[in-house]
Amino acid sequence: MISTNYLVIGSGIAGLTFAVKIAEKFPDRKVTIITKSNEDESNTKYAQGGVAIVLDGKDSFTKHVKDTLVAGDGLCDEAVVKMVVKEGPKRLEELLLWGANFDTDASGEFNLGKEGGHSEYRIVHHKDITGYEIERALLKKVHELKNVTLWSHHFAIDLITKHHITDPQAKDNTCYGAYVFDQKKGTIFTIKADSTLLASGGIGKVYGHTTNPVIATGDGIAMAYRAKAKISDMEFIQFHPTALYDARGDQSSFLISEAVRGMGAYLRNKSGYRFMLDYDERAELASRDIVSQSIDSELKKTGDTNVFLDCTHIDIEAFKKHFPNIYKKCKQNHIDVETDWIPVVPASHYLCGGIDVDMDGKTTINNLFACGECTRTGLHGANRLASNSLLEALVYAHNIFKYHSEHTYDTLELNIPEWNDEGTSVPREHVIIQYNLKQLQALMRDYVGIVRSDSRLTKAIKHLDLIADEVEEFYKQAKVSTSLCELRNMINVAHLIINQSIARKENKGGFYKLDNIKENETEAKN
């Protein structure tokens, strides 16, 4: 068993920011970070846009707050929104001190970007790889701190609670660390922690088609759920309408920017019909949620796997100049943009809900904190405003640090049993994991996608229960593997999304259920 003062699960912007701050403040205390892939592999790394922060004289906190509340469609916590927005400039100063670089103009001022839903230019960015740059700076800082240990390729299997412990000192509703799987050695060990922080990212892989990296399997949310933490707003998932379709569905989806439609590209079904005109007078230039819903409707009508983006009428030289990466990616996939249509499909992009936390990042379980995309803070409501996610992670990591600076945690000499896998064996048939994963992803895309209905959601639960039963039986007999634990976590996450979608009785933000339209129409008639 290993003991630490602070256990951080995840190595994105949320986990690393907290680790740097707490390690600098308390050089005599031990900080342990575990991450299941390479140390720099996280959702942060793939955040292209930037960080939304009020810096310009024309801008104001009031405007940023209003934009966030409008995007959240009435479900944001206004106090949280105000707190996060006002903290932005201070948190940016720290990133600059830690060595993160952001684009500036000729006069040395920040080159601020503007994205959908923002009323002013306020996006601080580093080219189109902002998250990658922040991750680089934070990792460099972490490696300079002597009291921080960072273990890559270490997978957290479960949080340790009283459920696992026979020691009478163990209290209800309290986290004491985690059981961790060393993926290279194939061994499982115990990390006992005075305080544990979940900073484990999103859930994109539950849908297969996702802009997230393949590690986004909802592990932190699933672990917290099994430990009986409160989880909310899981029905609010943002989808990007046009990701490059990959028939394998086992890789992160490459985004075909909305700017391509802005340049005049048409969306067509496989018959060549330009269908967006049937759904919205703005056609391909409708908002992201409408375009996603329209594509989803077409796919449900036809049973096709994808629609197409037609750029063949666009000046090819202008296309190459504006979208060199997209042109190159299409070429690699044997698609000539000048003559071929690009196969596209909506992809899971961002989870607005997650583990319930208060303004200090506290979950409903003692000694357990959470930060970043795995949380539901009240900032995003029903729909995240672009580039508010990195800001949220920075602010909440700071709040959790502040809380720990003012509150000490006793180190309990608890007797925690080692992981018990007696009676299990290394499975020969990994096909069971892969088969059930494909079944789960197809189920979520087809039954729990962008446009939902209670009848499809009810059917989804029946199918999901069959998958869950088979996987649980396999889990009891098999020695732990990352792919098996991830699948189990994704099944937990899928249950949460489906049940909370059934419970939601009004359409808000990115959530759209056909039954809610019918109910509202009936109420209006009465």
Side-chain angles (χ1 to χ4, degrees):
M1 184 169 74
I2 291 165
S3 292
T4 189
N5 298 107
Y6 308 101
L7 171 61
V8 178
I9 299 172
S11 63
I13 185 173
L16 295 181
T17 299
F18 170 77
V20 166
K21 289 181 167 232
I22 205 76
E24 284 189 326
K25 171 94 175 175
F26 300 109
D28 56 333
R29 294 185 193 171
K30 195 173 166 189
V31 182
T32 305
I33 306 168
I34 60 165
T35 188
K36 69 175 175 179
S37 187
N38 299 326
E39 62 179 33
D40 69 339
E41 186 68 2
S42 67
N43 278 17
T44 299
K45 179 178 168 182
Y46 298 90
Q48 295 176 346
V51 192
I53 295 174
V54 174
L55 296 169
D56 190 275
K58 293 181 217 154
D59 200 2
S60 68
F61 290 145
T62 304
K63 287 180 183 176
H64 190 176
V65 166
K66 186 183 175 190
D67 292 345
T68 302
L69 294 174
V70 168
D73 202 7
L75 294 184
C76 301
D77 181 327
E78 194 166 341
V80 166
V81 175
K82 286 177 178 172
M83 181 269 292
V84 171
V85 165
K86 286 176 182 174
E87 284 282 309
K90 293 182 217 159
R91 306 288 71 85
L92 176 65
E93 272 180 42
E94 286 168 344
L95 281 180
L96 294 169
L97 285 171
W98 293 336
N101 298 300
F102 297 98
D103 293 351
T104 52
D105 59 23
S107 63
E109 297 294 315
F110 286 116
N111 183 1
L112 300 175
K114 187 178 179 184
E115 294 177 348
H118 289 272
S119 56
E120 297 290 346
Y121 286 84
R122 65 167 72 101
I123 315 298
V124 182
H125 56 88
H126 179 87
K127 303 184 174 61
D128 60 355
I129 51 166
T130 308
Y132 184 87
E133 170 59 16
I134 294 171
E135 182 84 4
R136 178 203 64 74
L138 285 168
L139 280 170
K140 184 171 181 290
K141 190 74 187 160
V142 158
H143 288 305
E144 290 168 2
L145 294 161
K146 299 276 190 289
N147 56 330
V148 179
T149 307
L150 197 166
W151 284 324
S152 53
H153 304 287
H154 280 69
F155 183 86
I157 301 171
D158 258 326
L159 298 171
I160 297 168
T161 58
K162 190 175 180 181
H163 164 73
H164 302 95
I165 305 170
T166 52
D167 192 320
Q169 285 188 92
K171 296 174 186 165
D172 288 333
N173 199 41
T174 303
C175 178
Y176 294 103
Y179 288 115
V180 177
F181 177 49
D182 180 334
Q183 296 170 88
K184 291 193 169 171
K185 290 182 184 170
T187 55
I188 296 166
F189 63 97
T190 307
I191 298 183
K192 182 165 78 70
D194 303 337
S195 175
T196 300
L197 172 64
L198 287 170
S200 52
I203 55 99
K205 204 182 171 191
V206 172
Y207 282 89
H209 299 315
T210 178
T211 61
N212 297 176
V214 294
I215 56 163
T217 53
D219 306 317
I221 293 169
M223 283 191 290
Y225 171 62
R226 290 196 294 270
K228 306 287 191 291
K230 187 182 177 191
I231 317 283
S232 304
D233 290 356
M234 292 292 289
E235 66 273 32
F236 294 116
I237 296 157
Q238 284 188 327
F239 289 84
H240 194 287
T242 54
L244 183 64
Y245 175 68
D246 174 11
R248 294 168 301 172
D250 57 355
Q251 300 296 320
S252 297
S253 298
F254 180 81
L255 284 188
I256 307 296
S257 166
E258 287 168 68
V260 173
R261 300 199 303 283
M263 193 182 251
Y266 300 143
L267 278 163
R268 300 187 185 277
N269 62 21
K270 73 175 178 190
S271 307
Y273 181 66
R274 189 181 164 203
F275 58 85
M276 274 309 302
L277 292 158
D278 297 344
Y279 293 95
D280 194 289
E281 61 185 18
R282 294 166 294 177
E284 285 80 9
L285 299 180
S287 60
R288 186 183 277 191
D289 54 336
I290 297 219
V291 177
S292 293
Q293 287 167 17
S294 304
I295 294 171
D296 182 77
S297 175
E298 285 297 305
L299 296 179
K300 285 201 171 79
K301 274 196 280 190
T302 61
D304 294 336
T305 53
N306 59 279
V307 294
F308 296 90
L309 201 57
D310 175 9
C311 310
T312 56
H313 55 286
I314 295 173
D315 181 314
I316 192 63
E317 293 310 315
F319 187 96
K320 284 183 191 174
K321 185 183 172 190
H322 280 87
F323 309 113
N325 285 338
I326 293 172
Y327 183 80
K328 184 178 162 193
K329 183 71 174 180
C330 287
K331 270 285 190 201
Q332 288 169 354
N333 283 268
H334 312 294
I335 301 159
D336 184 345
V337 174
E338 193 170 8
T339 55
D340 302 330
W341 298 345
I342 306 169
V344 292
V345 68
S348 167
H349 189 54
Y350 189 86
L351 174 68
C352 297
I355 306 160
D356 253 41
V357 293
D358 66 9
M359 283 194 189
D360 294 320
K362 282 194 284 186
T363 69
T364 52
I365 292 175
N366 299 323
N367 303 1
L368 181 67
F369 294 74
C371 189
E373 193 178 346
C374 68
T375 63
R376 183 264 179 205
T377 62
L379 175 68
H380 305 307
N383 203 13
R384 174 186 65 108
L385 181 66
S387 290
N388 264 357
S389 44
L390 293 178
L391 172 66
E392 177 190 49
L394 288 167
V395 170
Y396 271 82
H398 176 74
N399 287 5
I400 295 166
F401 155 72
K402 260 195 332 189
Y403 184 86
H404 281 82
S405 300
E406 294 157 10
H407 299 79
T408 51
Y409 280 81
D410 298 330
T411 302
L412 275 177
E413 294 308 317
L414 271 183
N415 181 21
I416 299 174
E418 293 300 311
W419 183 264
N420 183 359
D421 62 358
E422 276 177 34
T424 61
S425 58
V426 177
R428 291 179 187 169
E429 296 184 27
H430 279 286
V431 69
I432 291 174
I433 298 171
Q434 283 310 307
Y435 174 77
N436 279 296
L437 173 60
K438 297 285 183 222
Q439 292 282 101
L440 173 68
Q441 290 171 333
L443 176 75
M444 292 302 286
R445 286 197 300 270
D446 296 341
Y447 288 76
V448 200
I450 296 154
V451 177
R452 298 172 200 168
S453 72
D454 282 333
S455 86
R456 277 201 302 271
L457 291 167
T458 307
K459 290 185 180 90
I461 284 183
K462 288 179 185 168
H463 289 298
L464 184 61
D465 285 344
L466 293 172
I467 296 171
D469 289 347
E470 184 170 335
V471 171
E472 203 55 34
E473 188 182 337
F474 186 68
Y475 179 78
K476 284 172 185 167
Q477 297 165 0
K479 286 210 180 292
V480 160
S481 69
T482 302
S483 56
L484 177 56
C485 289
E486 284 179 332
L487 176 56
R488 202 165 162 253
N489 290 339
M490 285 188 274
I491 289 167
N492 285 159
V493 166
H495 266 123
L496 284 161
I497 294 169
I498 295 168
N499 286 321
Q500 293 185 9
S501 294
I502 290 171
R504 171 73 48 193
K505 298 302 178 194
E506 59 178 346
N507 292 339
K508 286 279 186 183
F511 179 80
Y512 190 85
K513 191 167 67 172
L514 296 170
D515 307 79
N516 294 344
I517 303 289
K518 290 168 195 159
E519 279 178 32
N520 291 343
E521 284 172 356
T522 306
E523 281 172 20
K525 282 173 189 170
N526 295 337

PDB file of all heavy atoms in Angstrom, residues 313-335:
ATOM      1  N   HIS A 313     -18.332  22.421 -55.576  1.00  0.00           N
ATOM      2  CA  HIS A 313     -18.615  23.669 -56.282  1.00  0.00           C
ATOM      3  C   HIS A 313     -17.799  24.848 -55.746  1.00  0.00           C
ATOM      4  O   HIS A 313     -17.882  25.955 -56.262  1.00  0.00           O
ATOM      5  CB  HIS A 313     -20.112  24.006 -56.179  1.00  0.00           C
ATOM      6  CG  HIS A 313     -20.585  24.047 -54.759  1.00  0.00           C
ATOM      7  ND1 HIS A 313     -20.772  22.912 -54.001  1.00  0.00           N
ATOM      8  CD2 HIS A 313     -20.891  25.093 -53.944  1.00  0.00           C
ATOM      9  CE1 HIS A 313     -21.186  23.257 -52.787  1.00  0.00           C
ATOM     10  NE2 HIS A 313     -21.258  24.575 -52.733  1.00  0.00           N
ATOM     11  N   ILE A 314     -17.007  24.607 -54.697  1.00  0.00           N
ATOM     12  CA  ILE A 314     -16.218  25.679 -54.075  1.00  0.00           C
ATOM     13  C   ILE A 314     -14.866  25.782 -54.778  1.00  0.00           C
ATOM     14  O   ILE A 314     -14.272  24.767 -55.171  1.00  0.00           O
ATOM     15  CB  ILE A 314     -16.015  25.388 -52.560  1.00  0.00           C
ATOM     16  CG1 ILE A 314     -17.353  25.423 -51.822  1.00  0.00           C
ATOM     17  CG2 ILE A 314     -15.044  26.368 -51.931  1.00  0.00           C
ATOM     18  CD1 ILE A 314     -17.279  24.983 -50.378  1.00  0.00           C
ATOM     19  N   ASP A 315     -14.355  27.009 -54.924  1.00  0.00           N
ATOM     20  CA  ASP A 315     -13.031  27.234 -55.519  1.00  0.00           C
ATOM     21  C   ASP A 315     -11.988  26.436 -54.736  1.00  0.00           C
ATOM     22  O   ASP A 315     -11.762  26.695 -53.552  1.00  0.00           O
ATOM     23  CB  ASP A 315     -12.717  28.735 -55.466  1.00  0.00           C
ATOM     24  CG  ASP A 315     -11.369  29.070 -56.088  1.00  0.00           C
ATOM     25  OD1 ASP A 315     -10.387  28.367 -55.776  1.00  0.00           O
ATOM     26  OD2 ASP A 315     -11.293  30.033 -56.869  1.00  0.00           O
ATOM     27  N   ILE A 316     -11.364  25.466 -55.387  1.00  0.00           N
ATOM     28  CA  ILE A 316     -10.479  24.532 -54.683  1.00  0.00           C
ATOM     29  C   ILE A 316      -9.235  25.224 -54.121  1.00  0.00           C
ATOM     30  O   ILE A 316      -8.742  24.863 -53.060  1.00  0.00           O
ATOM     31  CB  ILE A 316     -10.091  23.329 -55.596  1.00  0.00           C
ATOM     32  CG1 ILE A 316      -9.415  22.217 -54.769  1.00  0.00           C
ATOM     33  CG2 ILE A 316      -9.207  23.762 -56.749  1.00  0.00           C
ATOM     34  CD1 ILE A 316     -10.290  21.596 -53.722  1.00  0.00           C
ATOM     35  N   GLU A 317      -8.734  26.237 -54.820  1.00  0.00           N
ATOM     36  CA  GLU A 317      -7.538  26.939 -54.311  1.00  0.00           C
ATOM     37  C   GLU A 317      -7.878  27.702 -53.026  1.00  0.00           C
ATOM     38  O   GLU A 317      -7.103  27.729 -52.080  1.00  0.00           O
ATOM     39  CB  GLU A 317      -6.968  27.890 -55.373  1.00  0.00           C
ATOM     40  CG  GLU A 317      -6.394  27.189 -56.603  1.00  0.00           C
ATOM     41  CD  GLU A 317      -5.422  26.064 -56.238  1.00  0.00           C
ATOM     42  OE1 GLU A 317      -4.561  26.274 -55.362  1.00  0.00           O
ATOM     43  OE2 GLU A 317      -5.540  24.958 -56.823  1.00  0.00           O
ATOM     44  N   ALA A 318      -9.064  28.312 -53.021  1.00  0.00           N
ATOM     45  CA  ALA A 318      -9.502  29.018 -51.803  1.00  0.00           C
ATOM     46  C   ALA A 318      -9.690  28.026 -50.653  1.00  0.00           C
ATOM     47  O   ALA A 318      -9.326  28.297 -49.501  1.00  0.00           O
ATOM     48  CB  ALA A 318     -10.814  29.755 -52.072  1.00  0.00           C
ATOM     49  N   PHE A 319     -10.235  26.845 -50.973  1.00  0.00           N
ATOM     50  CA  PHE A 319     -10.443  25.805 -49.949  1.00  0.00           C
ATOM     51  C   PHE A 319      -9.099  25.375 -49.353  1.00  0.00           C
ATOM     52  O   PHE A 319      -8.939  25.304 -48.129  1.00  0.00           O
ATOM     53  CB  PHE A 319     -11.160  24.592 -50.558  1.00  0.00           C
ATOM     54  CG  PHE A 319     -11.556  23.548 -49.545  1.00  0.00           C
ATOM     55  CD1 PHE A 319     -12.832  23.527 -49.014  1.00  0.00           C
ATOM     56  CD2 PHE A 319     -10.633  22.596 -49.098  1.00  0.00           C
ATOM     57  CE1 PHE A 319     -13.195  22.581 -48.053  1.00  0.00           C
ATOM     58  CE2 PHE A 319     -10.983  21.649 -48.151  1.00  0.00           C
ATOM     59  CZ  PHE A 319     -12.269  21.644 -47.628  1.00  0.00           C
ATOM     60  N   LYS A 320      -8.126  25.106 -50.235  1.00  0.00           N
ATOM     61  CA  LYS A 320      -6.798  24.648 -49.758  1.00  0.00           C
ATOM     62  C   LYS A 320      -6.141  25.705 -48.873  1.00  0.00           C
ATOM     63  O   LYS A 320      -5.486  25.379 -47.890  1.00  0.00           O
ATOM     64  CB  LYS A 320      -5.888  24.368 -50.959  1.00  0.00           C
ATOM     65  CG  LYS A 320      -6.177  23.068 -51.693  1.00  0.00           C
ATOM     66  CD  LYS A 320      -5.145  22.918 -52.794  1.00  0.00           C
ATOM     67  CE  LYS A 320      -5.499  21.806 -53.749  1.00  0.00           C
ATOM     68  NZ  LYS A 320      -4.571  21.757 -54.881  1.00  0.00           N
ATOM     69  N   LYS A 321      -6.335  26.973 -49.255  1.00  0.00           N
ATOM     70  CA  LYS A 321      -5.721  28.057 -48.484  1.00  0.00           C
ATOM     71  C   LYS A 321      -6.343  28.180 -47.095  1.00  0.00           C
ATOM     72  O   LYS A 321      -5.657  28.357 -46.096  1.00  0.00           O
ATOM     73  CB  LYS A 321      -5.895  29.376 -49.257  1.00  0.00           C
ATOM     74  CG  LYS A 321      -5.184  30.549 -48.602  1.00  0.00           C
ATOM     75  CD  LYS A 321      -5.450  31.840 -49.354  1.00  0.00           C
ATOM     76  CE  LYS A 321      -4.895  33.019 -48.555  1.00  0.00           C
ATOM     77  NZ  LYS A 321      -5.331  34.306 -49.118  1.00  0.00           N
ATOM     78  N   HIS A 322      -7.678  28.086 -47.038  1.00  0.00           N
ATOM     79  CA  HIS A 322      -8.376  28.257 -45.760  1.00  0.00           C
ATOM     80  C   HIS A 322      -8.326  27.007 -44.881  1.00  0.00           C
ATOM     81  O   HIS A 322      -8.308  27.098 -43.658  1.00  0.00           O
ATOM     82  CB  HIS A 322      -9.850  28.634 -45.999  1.00  0.00           C
ATOM     83  CG  HIS A 322     -10.043  30.068 -46.319  1.00  0.00           C
ATOM     84  ND1 HIS A 322      -9.947  30.551 -47.608  1.00  0.00           N
ATOM     85  CD2 HIS A 322     -10.291  31.150 -45.534  1.00  0.00           C
ATOM     86  CE1 HIS A 322     -10.151  31.865 -47.598  1.00  0.00           C
ATOM     87  NE2 HIS A 322     -10.365  32.243 -46.350  1.00  0.00           N
ATOM     88  N   PHE A 323      -8.335  25.826 -45.523  1.00  0.00           N
ATOM     89  CA  PHE A 323      -8.441  24.574 -44.752  1.00  0.00           C
ATOM     90  C   PHE A 323      -7.367  23.558 -45.160  1.00  0.00           C
ATOM     91  O   PHE A 323      -7.686  22.458 -45.619  1.00  0.00           O
ATOM     92  CB  PHE A 323      -9.845  23.962 -44.953  1.00  0.00           C
ATOM     93  CG  PHE A 323     -10.968  24.917 -44.699  1.00  0.00           C
ATOM     94  CD1 PHE A 323     -11.784  25.335 -45.754  1.00  0.00           C
ATOM     95  CD2 PHE A 323     -11.219  25.409 -43.430  1.00  0.00           C
ATOM     96  CE1 PHE A 323     -12.824  26.225 -45.541  1.00  0.00           C
ATOM     97  CE2 PHE A 323     -12.265  26.299 -43.203  1.00  0.00           C
ATOM     98  CZ  PHE A 323     -13.067  26.716 -44.254  1.00  0.00           C
ATOM     99  N   PRO A 324      -6.094  23.918 -44.997  1.00  0.00           N
ATOM    100  CA  PRO A 324      -5.034  22.992 -45.428  1.00  0.00           C
ATOM    101  C   PRO A 324      -5.065  21.654 -44.693  1.00  0.00           C
ATOM    102  O   PRO A 324      -4.843  20.600 -45.292  1.00  0.00           O
ATOM    103  CB  PRO A 324      -3.738  23.762 -45.132  1.00  0.00           C
ATOM    104  CG  PRO A 324      -4.117  24.806 -44.123  1.00  0.00           C
ATOM    105  CD  PRO A 324      -5.538  25.152 -44.418  1.00  0.00           C
ATOM    106  N   ASN A 325      -5.375  21.690 -43.380  1.00  0.00           N
ATOM    107  CA  ASN A 325      -5.400  20.443 -42.589  1.00  0.00           C
ATOM    108  C   ASN A 325      -6.557  19.536 -43.007  1.00  0.00           C
ATOM    109  O   ASN A 325      -6.404  18.319 -43.080  1.00  0.00           O
ATOM    110  CB  ASN A 325      -5.507  20.746 -41.085  1.00  0.00           C
ATOM    111  CG  ASN A 325      -4.191  21.234 -40.520  1.00  0.00           C
ATOM    112  OD1 ASN A 325      -3.135  20.974 -41.097  1.00  0.00           O
ATOM    113  ND2 ASN A 325      -4.253  21.959 -39.419  1.00  0.00           N
ATOM    114  N   ILE A 326      -7.714  20.148 -43.260  1.00  0.00           N
ATOM    115  CA  ILE A 326      -8.884  19.363 -43.683  1.00  0.00           C
ATOM    116  C   ILE A 326      -8.617  18.742 -45.056  1.00  0.00           C
ATOM    117  O   ILE A 326      -8.888  17.557 -45.280  1.00  0.00           O
ATOM    118  CB  ILE A 326     -10.162  20.241 -43.696  1.00  0.00           C
ATOM    119  CG1 ILE A 326     -10.525  20.659 -42.262  1.00  0.00           C
ATOM    120  CG2 ILE A 326     -11.333  19.505 -44.357  1.00  0.00           C
ATOM    121  CD1 ILE A 326     -11.651  21.672 -42.164  1.00  0.00           C
ATOM    122  N   TYR A 327      -8.044  19.551 -45.962  1.00  0.00           N
ATOM    123  CA  TYR A 327      -7.734  19.041 -47.306  1.00  0.00           C
ATOM    124  C   TYR A 327      -6.765  17.852 -47.216  1.00  0.00           C
ATOM    125  O   TYR A 327      -6.972  16.813 -47.850  1.00  0.00           O
ATOM    126  CB  TYR A 327      -7.129  20.166 -48.163  1.00  0.00           C
ATOM    127  CG  TYR A 327      -6.857  19.743 -49.586  1.00  0.00           C
ATOM    128  CD1 TYR A 327      -7.877  19.699 -50.536  1.00  0.00           C
ATOM    129  CD2 TYR A 327      -5.573  19.356 -49.982  1.00  0.00           C
ATOM    130  CE1 TYR A 327      -7.640  19.294 -51.836  1.00  0.00           C
ATOM    131  CE2 TYR A 327      -5.321  18.946 -51.278  1.00  0.00           C
ATOM    132  CZ  TYR A 327      -6.356  18.913 -52.202  1.00  0.00           C
ATOM    133  OH  TYR A 327      -6.117  18.497 -53.486  1.00  0.00           O
ATOM    134  N   LYS A 328      -5.742  18.027 -46.368  1.00  0.00           N
ATOM    135  CA  LYS A 328      -4.720  16.978 -46.208  1.00  0.00           C
ATOM    136  C   LYS A 328      -5.316  15.711 -45.593  1.00  0.00           C
ATOM    137  O   LYS A 328      -5.058  14.591 -46.041  1.00  0.00           O
ATOM    138  CB  LYS A 328      -3.601  17.522 -45.304  1.00  0.00           C
ATOM    139  CG  LYS A 328      -2.416  16.590 -45.103  1.00  0.00           C
ATOM    140  CD  LYS A 328      -1.386  17.288 -44.224  1.00  0.00           C
ATOM    141  CE  LYS A 328      -0.422  16.285 -43.629  1.00  0.00           C
ATOM    142  NZ  LYS A 328       0.374  16.899 -42.537  1.00  0.00           N
ATOM    143  N   LYS A 329      -6.147  15.881 -44.560  1.00  0.00           N
ATOM    144  CA  LYS A 329      -6.768  14.733 -43.879  1.00  0.00           C
ATOM    145  C   LYS A 329      -7.670  13.960 -44.852  1.00  0.00           C
ATOM    146  O   LYS A 329      -7.691  12.726 -44.864  1.00  0.00           O
ATOM    147  CB  LYS A 329      -7.578  15.201 -42.663  1.00  0.00           C
ATOM    148  CG  LYS A 329      -8.203  14.077 -41.852  1.00  0.00           C
ATOM    149  CD  LYS A 329      -7.157  13.298 -41.088  1.00  0.00           C
ATOM    150  CE  LYS A 329      -7.801  12.274 -40.163  1.00  0.00           C
ATOM    151  NZ  LYS A 329      -6.791  11.515 -39.413  1.00  0.00           N
ATOM    152  N   CYS A 330      -8.432  14.708 -45.650  1.00  0.00           N
ATOM    153  CA  CYS A 330      -9.311  14.053 -46.638  1.00  0.00           C
ATOM    154  C   CYS A 330      -8.473  13.268 -47.646  1.00  0.00           C
ATOM    155  O   CYS A 330      -8.810  12.125 -47.986  1.00  0.00           O
ATOM    156  CB  CYS A 330     -10.178  15.085 -47.347  1.00  0.00           C
ATOM    157  SG  CYS A 330     -11.505  15.736 -46.305  1.00  0.00           S
ATOM    158  N   LYS A 331      -7.373  13.861 -48.110  1.00  0.00           N
ATOM    159  CA  LYS A 331      -6.476  13.182 -49.062  1.00  0.00           C
ATOM    160  C   LYS A 331      -5.970  11.864 -48.476  1.00  0.00           C
ATOM    161  O   LYS A 331      -5.923  10.828 -49.156  1.00  0.00           O
ATOM    162  CB  LYS A 331      -5.279  14.085 -49.398  1.00  0.00           C
ATOM    163  CG  LYS A 331      -5.507  15.001 -50.581  1.00  0.00           C
ATOM    164  CD  LYS A 331      -5.426  14.233 -51.894  1.00  0.00           C
ATOM    165  CE  LYS A 331      -5.407  15.162 -53.089  1.00  0.00           C
ATOM    166  NZ  LYS A 331      -5.813  14.472 -54.314  1.00  0.00           N
ATOM    167  N   GLN A 332      -5.579  11.922 -47.173  1.00  0.00           N
ATOM    168  CA  GLN A 332      -5.085  10.707 -46.498  1.00  0.00           C
ATOM    169  C   GLN A 332      -6.155   9.620 -46.469  1.00  0.00           C
ATOM    170  O   GLN A 332      -5.838   8.435 -46.410  1.00  0.00           O
ATOM    171  CB  GLN A 332      -4.650  11.042 -45.059  1.00  0.00           C
ATOM    172  CG  GLN A 332      -3.364  11.835 -44.987  1.00  0.00           C
ATOM    173  CD  GLN A 332      -3.105  12.373 -43.586  1.00  0.00           C
ATOM    174  OE1 GLN A 332      -3.933  12.245 -42.678  1.00  0.00           O
ATOM    175  NE2 GLN A 332      -1.950  12.985 -43.395  1.00  0.00           N
ATOM    176  N   ASN A 333      -7.422  10.054 -46.467  1.00  0.00           N
ATOM    177  CA  ASN A 333      -8.539   9.104 -46.451  1.00  0.00           C
ATOM    178  C   ASN A 333      -9.093   8.848 -47.856  1.00  0.00           C
ATOM    179  O   ASN A 333     -10.232   8.396 -48.002  1.00  0.00           O
ATOM    180  CB  ASN A 333      -9.646   9.616 -45.523  1.00  0.00           C
ATOM    181  CG  ASN A 333      -9.321   9.414 -44.060  1.00  0.00           C
ATOM    182  OD1 ASN A 333      -9.676   8.408 -43.464  1.00  0.00           O
ATOM    183  ND2 ASN A 333      -8.611  10.367 -43.472  1.00  0.00           N
ATOM    184  N   HIS A 334      -8.280   9.154 -48.883  1.00  0.00           N
ATOM    185  CA  HIS A 334      -8.637   8.904 -50.295  1.00  0.00           C
ATOM    186  C   HIS A 334      -9.889   9.667 -50.714  1.00  0.00           C
ATOM    187  O   HIS A 334     -10.700   9.174 -51.496  1.00  0.00           O
ATOM    188  CB  HIS A 334      -8.811   7.394 -50.556  1.00  0.00           C
ATOM    189  CG  HIS A 334      -7.681   6.579 -50.008  1.00  0.00           C
ATOM    190  ND1 HIS A 334      -6.391   6.658 -50.495  1.00  0.00           N
ATOM    191  CD2 HIS A 334      -7.619   5.696 -48.974  1.00  0.00           C
ATOM    192  CE1 HIS A 334      -5.596   5.855 -49.793  1.00  0.00           C
ATOM    193  NE2 HIS A 334      -6.322   5.268 -48.868  1.00  0.00           N
ATOM    194  N   ILE A 335     -10.059  10.875 -50.141  1.00  0.00           N
ATOM    195  CA  ILE A 335     -11.176  11.745 -50.533  1.00  0.00           C
ATOM    196  C   ILE A 335     -10.579  12.986 -51.198  1.00  0.00           C
ATOM    197  O   ILE A 335      -9.821  13.727 -50.558  1.00  0.00           O
ATOM    198  CB  ILE A 335     -12.017  12.172 -49.305  1.00  0.00           C
ATOM    199  CG1 ILE A 335     -12.587  10.953 -48.573  1.00  0.00           C
ATOM    200  CG2 ILE A 335     -13.138  13.125 -49.723  1.00  0.00           C
ATOM    201  CD1 ILE A 335     -12.977  11.231 -47.132  1.00  0.00           C
TER     202      ILE A 335
END
